[in-house]
Amino acid sequence: MSLDNKSITARAHTNIALVKYWGKKDEKLIIPNNSSISLTLDEFYTETTVKFDDNLYEDVMYLDNTKIDNMQPISNFMNIVRKLSDTNKFAKINSYNHVPTSAGLASSASGFAALSAAASKAAGLNLNNIELSKLARRGSGSATRSVYGGFSEWKHGTDNDTSYAVSIQDPVKMDINMIAIILNNQPKKISSRKGMKMSVNTSPYYKAWEQQTTRDLKSVKNAIYNNDFTTLGKTAELNSMRMHALTLSSDPSYLYLNKDSLLVIDYVKSLREKGIECYYTMDAGPNVKVICQSKNIEKIKLYLLQSFDEENIKISKPGGSIKYL
Ligand code: 2P0
């Protein structure tokens, strides 16, 4: 295909799973064992510009103005884009992360979603949302859901053509916010990829996780349709702890939470005892996200300020879908 080497910029927001993805049945194609549901957030996003260039002999990428040394994951991904668009050109990629990188706030979700949109369009493709979702999935599982705003569901499927995300609701009708408490913005020791593989291979509870997640998925989806904040929050909190139970029950056992994560969990429980409804969820890192309604944001924030700095408390509303800038 002949390209006119246009520079294309796309923005994608990160998402936080309410029903988590944890484990693959196909590692190469990134086909998950279970379906998952997430909320896209407005506060955290990635903006990525892609331009194919006849003079390049390999892909080049800058993340926050720093050149990426290990280009293998990105080049593998760009090879998929080249194959889809029938081009053999390489690209210059510039990406800016408005997400603490690799700290359990899913920068890979917004990163690969933005790259999918920018790279596919720069390569002359005009993909629809499902095709974009499938492409994003090849970079990172959670990116599959970041194509959409609001609530989305990644349907696990069985192969490359059937594993993609769909929108459940955008714009979101429920009054829902997430307060992210940034406890650590250092890259994690055990990547999600490695962690989930260990859980699949060694946790004796993995089968139970798959069965329970099917139930959690139904419960959260009904809660979204019924505007039932309480059921959504309770189920998301339980589902998150069930995921972390898989890390604890792996061989060797490992843990993403730290003592500050446990402190936030205690805070959330005390807030609930005082009648302030809120729930917690955590991903593959120590940061905790508190799920709450607008009327309680300031009360929860005041409570958290007893132990955490204001700059580490980020309040987010539901975010939008991928946009070209
Ligand atoms: C999720 N996480 O559903 C789950 C919950 C973290 C905990 O998806 O191997 O970076 O690239 O598909 O998507 C983080 O894992 O892993 C993740 P890969 P990914 O959001």
Side-chain angles (χ1 to χ4, degrees):
M1 189 189 279
S2 90
L3 283 178
D4 53 4
N5 295 346
K6 267 195 205 141
S7 171
I8 302 287
T9 302
R11 176 193 297 152
H13 291 255
T14 193
N15 69 77
I16 300 297
L18 302 166
V19 178
K20 312 284 186 193
Y21 142 57
W22 200 249
K24 302 173 177 65
K25 59 174 159 258
D26 184 323
E27 288 178 17
K28 184 163 180 283
L29 292 174
I30 311 195
I31 311 295
N33 284 319
N34 64 277
S35 297
S36 52
I37 291 182
S38 62
L39 177 67
T40 296
L41 301 183
D42 70 343
E43 184 70 17
F44 306 111
Y45 56 92
T46 302
E47 287 177 355
T48 299
T49 303
V50 177
K51 189 175 190 299
F52 285 88
D53 186 330
D54 304 84
N55 299 317
L56 287 176
Y57 55 90
E58 60 184 2
D59 297 313
V60 183
M61 178 167 175
Y62 290 82
L63 177 60
D64 296 328
N65 298 320
T66 303
K67 194 167 184 285
I68 301 274
D69 289 331
N70 174 17
M71 278 296 287
Q72 202 61 54
I74 301 294
S75 297
N76 290 346
F77 181 81
M78 293 302 287
N79 286 340
I80 299 169
V81 176
R82 275 185 279 274
K83 199 167 173 196
L84 279 174
S85 59
D86 199 19
T87 180
N88 52 13
K89 294 184 189 184
F90 295 99
K92 181 165 182 202
I93 305 163
N94 257 309
S95 197
Y96 293 92
N97 247 347
H98 300 260
V99 188
T101 304
S102 294
L105 277 178
S107 59
S108 66
S110 54
F112 275 107
L115 181 61
S116 299
S120 59
K121 212 174 196 54
L125 294 165
N126 201 4
L127 303 184
N128 64 31
N129 283 341
I130 287 179
E131 289 164 335
L132 259 185
S133 177
K134 286 183 205 170
L135 176 59
R137 194 199 75 233
R138 301 293 299 273
S140 189
S142 49
T144 311
R145 301 181 304 239
S146 266
V147 169
Y148 305 96
F151 293 114
S152 61
E153 177 184 0
W154 177 11
K155 294 179 177 291
H156 62 74
T158 51
D159 57 17
N160 190 46
D161 283 340
T162 53
S163 186
Y164 54 82
V166 295
S167 174
I168 299 180
Q169 195 181 72
D170 180 32
V172 165
K173 292 188 184 136
M174 186 181 285
D175 174 5
I176 183 169
N177 304 272
M178 282 206 191
I179 306 178
I181 301 103
I182 315 293
L183 302 170
N184 181 353
N185 61 7
Q186 297 303 306
K188 54 201 166 222
K189 289 195 186 87
I190 298 179
S191 68
S192 320
R193 195 160 288 194
K194 190 172 167 200
M196 61 178 85
K197 189 173 177 181
M198 282 162 70
S199 298
V200 172
N201 290 341
T202 66
S203 171
Y205 307 138
Y206 195 79
K207 200 80 216 155
W209 158 260
E210 287 184 293
Q211 289 162 354
Q212 183 59 41
T213 299
T214 306
R215 293 190 277 270
D216 292 346
L217 199 94
K218 272 195 197 131
S219 163
V220 167
K221 221 195 271 189
N222 283 334
I224 292 169
Y225 293 138
N226 298 329
N227 200 2
D228 177 354
F229 176 79
T230 301
T231 302
L232 181 141
K234 275 186 183 167
T235 314
E237 183 176 298
L238 282 169
N239 182 267
S240 161
M241 292 315 269
R242 287 169 181 146
M243 185 203 102
H244 288 276
L246 290 178
T247 77
L248 284 169
S249 56
S250 293
D251 178 7
S253 174
Y254 61 101
L255 184 60
Y256 290 117
L257 314 186
N258 65 20
K259 62 179 182 2
D260 286 334
S261 322
L262 301 178
L263 181 63
V264 179
I265 291 175
D266 274 348
Y267 275 170
V268 168
K269 288 183 175 166
S270 332
L271 281 159
R272 281 211 293 260
E273 277 164 20
K274 291 181 200 306
I276 299 166
E277 190 178 13
C278 53
Y279 303 93
Y280 55 84
T281 183
M282 288 145 305
D283 294 287
N287 300 331
V288 184
K289 276 74 70 174
V290 178
I291 305 168
C292 67
Q293 292 167 308
S294 304
K295 64 179 180 197
N296 289 326
I297 290 177
E298 286 310 316
K299 290 178 213 157
I300 296 168
K301 195 175 160 188
L302 265 181
Y303 217 82
L304 293 168
L305 281 169
Q306 296 176 85
S307 301
F308 304 102
D309 293 338
E310 182 144 29
E311 71 205 38
N312 291 327
I313 303 173
K314 310 265 188 203
I315 297 157
S316 193
K317 297 201 167 306
S321 57
I322 279 183
K323 297 245 168 346
Y324 291 99
L325 304 176

